[in-house]
Amino acid sequence: GPLAGLDRAAWLDGIGEALVEVPALVLTVSPAAVTLGDTPVLDGADRGIAEGLHNAGARTIVVFPGAPDAELLALAAVIVAEGALGAVDLPERVWRADFSFVHVELASMATSASPDPECLPEFALLDRPAAEPHARGHLDADALQTLRGLRDTLPPEPSAFLDVFPTAGALPPDLMADAARVRVGADVDPSALAGALAAAIRAAETPADARNVARALLGAAVDLLGGPHDPGPLLHHALELADRELTADETRAVATAAFAEVSAEPLRSALVARLPAQETPELRGSLYSLLSLPIPEEGLVALAARLPKWALTVLADTLLLREMEDGLPRADGVRTRLSDPRPHVVALGLAMAARVDDSRLIEPILALGGHANVEVREAVLLALRQQTGRRVRALVLQRLGDPAATVRIEALRYGVAHRLPEVLPWVEGRIQEPELAGIQEPELRAICIAYGRLARDRAEVPLTDLALGRRRIEQPAFARLALHGLRAIGTPRARAVLQHVAAEVPRLRHEAEALLAGDPR
């Protein structure tokens, strides 16, 4: 048979010893030799075998740890038979061998100018020209091309993602029909993509290849933010690649350089576009992981100008963690940002200050109370929310008359949280103002809640009149928002009013019932 002249024991021992030294045995096939790296394995007298393998379509043979002896002997039979006989049915022989720990990369043997895709072997699909991406979580053409070149150095599971191990699992049918278009979540699980990309980065032969795939990994993670598919696996692998204890220095440096691009275009705009105005716990956690990558500080600070408010607090947390000293957040970096001429940097500093219990920060925060930028004035009140004192109360009362509604709302929240008696006259005055109809819903709701919380029983009748339409105001939402004030009173009588409204006013029934059930809507 084909193995008649083979020293089986030497063959098995040689592969076993080689796999102790390397994570996978990668043999390259050329017409002149079969080589392991730069070391010839078959040349000279065995050159005919190498030439026969190459003519049959073999380009790379990869052997992974754990391959049983029977599979290694089956590989030897394929090599000897194809090399000696010069046969051209290598794809069929590989398929019949049903390898699990061995992969033989085959060049496309199609000779037709326009071959029928149904007749091509599966390995040829990844040799098609890359198409433009068309869906969230895509890989761009350059990244996919890099992956094609690296696929034979990947371990078995990630390799299955690229369909280089047909027996280990193929890509879903949609992706097999056009393998150049990878749609994360629709065609491939993010975990599979993460494993493939991380393995490809580590296996890259050049820094350019590694950076290309690292950029694709980060881009796919950003692309999934806020969508139905969890970007966590991608971000987890990105963090591992940036960890000096888990990743070799050279690979880590290249990956880190790619990850830094999250603060540069076009990735920066893609990230901002994925962040809605309202957060969710899952989205907050994903963004925290993303911003925890080793992105240069100036890049992170530049992001602050375009992040929604909740995301700015996530950025503040990640920077505080970076700047910890002896397990405690440092106030020095915060103070530096508070004195920065750029409003978005000041707002970031205030978001950080809100999380640092340091009395030395109160004075510089108060000094920003009259800042020209509305986001800064609002952030000042947020940073002072846990602080008390005469000067803090004075600033809060002053901001009740701020030109910006968002600042007035934040001042109201402080007044309610700290039960400031000076706020109640202002609220009662607003409730009675004839121009109340011109106030937008968020502020009107805040006024009603503040009135109920601070005035308690005194607010019951005015709010009831508003809810039941006894006081006419040209503001369609006022009656509904008055219900929130009644709920804020929190007494049994106020609850009875809510029950009465639910029974007597059909258009307010759902709102009243939701408030009675504890859902503030």
Side-chain angles (χ1 to χ4, degrees), residues 189-200:
D189 181 79
S191 298
L193 175 65
L197 295 180

Side-chain angles (χ1 to χ4, degrees), residues 331-470:
D332 294 345
V334 178
R335 290 180 65 121
T336 299
R337 294 186 178 96
L338 294 180
S339 60
D340 195 284
R342 295 167 293 177
H344 70 274
V345 180
V346 176
L348 175 60
L350 289 166
M352 297 172 71
R355 288 157 165 69
V356 179
D357 185 16
D358 193 318
S359 60
R360 294 173 297 174
L361 294 175
I362 296 178
E363 192 65 34
I365 293 173
L366 286 170
L368 295 166
H371 199 281
N373 183 275
V374 60
E375 283 81 10
V376 170
R377 297 199 304 276
E378 181 184 356
V380 164
L381 296 176
L382 286 167
L384 293 173
R385 186 175 284 180
Q386 304 303 321
Q387 305 297 331
T388 57
R390 179 182 56 82
R391 294 185 63 198
V392 175
R393 291 199 305 272
L395 177 62
V396 170
L397 294 174
Q398 184 185 34
R399 290 301 104 200
L400 286 172
D402 194 277
T406 55
V407 180
R408 296 194 297 269
I409 291 172
E410 203 52 54
L412 270 178
R413 287 173 176 158
Y414 183 100
V416 169
H418 291 271
R419 295 291 194 272
L420 295 186
E422 304 96 324
V423 173
L424 181 55
W426 183 90
V427 173
E428 288 182 317
R430 295 302 305 276
I431 285 286
Q432 301 302 324
E433 286 178 2
E435 65 269 21
L436 201 61
I439 300 178
Q440 297 298 310
E441 283 194 29
E443 184 177 7
L444 194 53
R445 180 176 180 271
I447 290 172
C448 290
I449 292 174
Y451 188 34
R453 291 271 177 88
L454 296 174
R456 302 299 296 271
D457 291 343
R458 282 167 49 187
E460 182 185 315
V461 173
L463 290 173
T464 300
D465 289 344
L466 287 168
L468 294 175
R470 295 170 184 165

Side-chain angles (χ1 to χ4, degrees), residues 163-495:
D163 193 41
V164 295
F165 277 78
T167 59
L171 294 176
D174 289 347
L175 186 54
M176 289 303 301
D178 190 353
R181 295 182 175 184
V182 179
R183 295 176 296 170
V184 181
D187 292 323
V188 65
D189 181 79
S191 298
L193 175 65
L197 295 180
I201 292 166
R202 289 188 167 96
E205 295 182 358
T206 69
D209 283 344
R211 183 166 181 167
N212 181 25
V213 181
R215 189 185 299 112
L217 186 150
L218 186 61
V222 168
D223 222 19
L224 294 182
L225 284 174
H229 304 290
D230 181 19
L234 292 155
L235 293 170
H236 174 75
H237 280 286
L239 289 167
E240 282 189 349
L241 288 164
D243 191 323
R244 66 177 59 254
E245 295 184 2
L246 300 175
T247 304
D249 290 346
E250 183 178 357
T251 300
R252 189 180 69 255
V254 172
T256 298
F259 297 156
E261 296 180 24
V262 74
S263 61
E265 296 298 347
L267 204 52
R268 178 171 57 187
S269 291
L271 170 60
V272 173
R274 298 287 183 262
L275 302 178
Q278 300 298 322
E279 68 173 301
T280 64
E282 295 79 13
L283 188 55
R284 187 180 186 91
S286 294
L287 182 61
Y288 184 85
S289 296
L290 175 64
L291 296 180
S292 296
L293 290 168
I295 303 165
E297 181 179 324
E298 61 270 19
L300 288 175
V301 172
L303 278 175
R306 300 178 60 186
L307 295 178
K309 294 172 187 175
W310 68 267
L312 189 67
T313 64
V314 177
L315 176 56
D317 288 341
T318 58
L319 284 172
L320 284 172
L321 185 62
R322 281 190 182 196
E323 298 171 6
M324 284 256 184
E325 191 173 74
D326 297 328
L328 297 173
R330 293 173 52 194
D332 294 345
V334 178
R335 290 180 65 121
T336 299
R337 294 186 178 96
L338 294 180
S339 60
D340 195 284
R342 295 167 293 177
H344 70 274
V345 180
V346 176
L348 175 60
L350 289 166
M352 297 172 71
R355 288 157 165 69
V356 179
D357 185 16
D358 193 318
S359 60
R360 294 173 297 174
L361 294 175
I362 296 178
E363 192 65 34
I365 293 173
L366 286 170
L368 295 166
H371 199 281
N373 183 275
V374 60
E375 283 81 10
V376 170
R377 297 199 304 276
E378 181 184 356
V380 164
L381 296 176
L382 286 167
L384 293 173
R385 186 175 284 180
Q386 304 303 321
Q387 305 297 331
T388 57
R390 179 182 56 82
R391 294 185 63 198
V392 175
R393 291 199 305 272
L395 177 62
V396 170
L397 294 174
Q398 184 185 34
R399 290 301 104 200
L400 286 172
D402 194 277
T406 55
V407 180
R408 296 194 297 269
I409 291 172
E410 203 52 54
L412 270 178
R413 287 173 176 158
Y414 183 100
V416 169
H418 291 271
R419 295 291 194 272
L420 295 186
E422 304 96 324
V423 173
L424 181 55
W426 183 90
V427 173
E428 288 182 317
R430 295 302 305 276
I431 285 286
Q432 301 302 324
E433 286 178 2
E435 65 269 21
L436 201 61
I439 300 178
Q440 297 298 310
E441 283 194 29
E443 184 177 7
L444 194 53
R445 180 176 180 271
I447 290 172
C448 290
I449 292 174
Y451 188 34
R453 291 271 177 88
L454 296 174
R456 302 299 296 271
D457 291 343
R458 282 167 49 187
E460 182 185 315
V461 173
L463 290 173
T464 300
D465 289 344
L466 287 168
L468 294 175
R470 295 170 184 165
R471 177 185 167 192
R472 297 290 181 181
I473 292 182
E474 296 300 322
Q475 166 55 280
F478 205 173
R480 177 173 58 82
L481 297 173
L483 300 177
H484 292 256
L486 287 167
R487 180 177 182 266
I489 294 174
T491 63
R493 288 200 315 177
R495 186 175 180 84

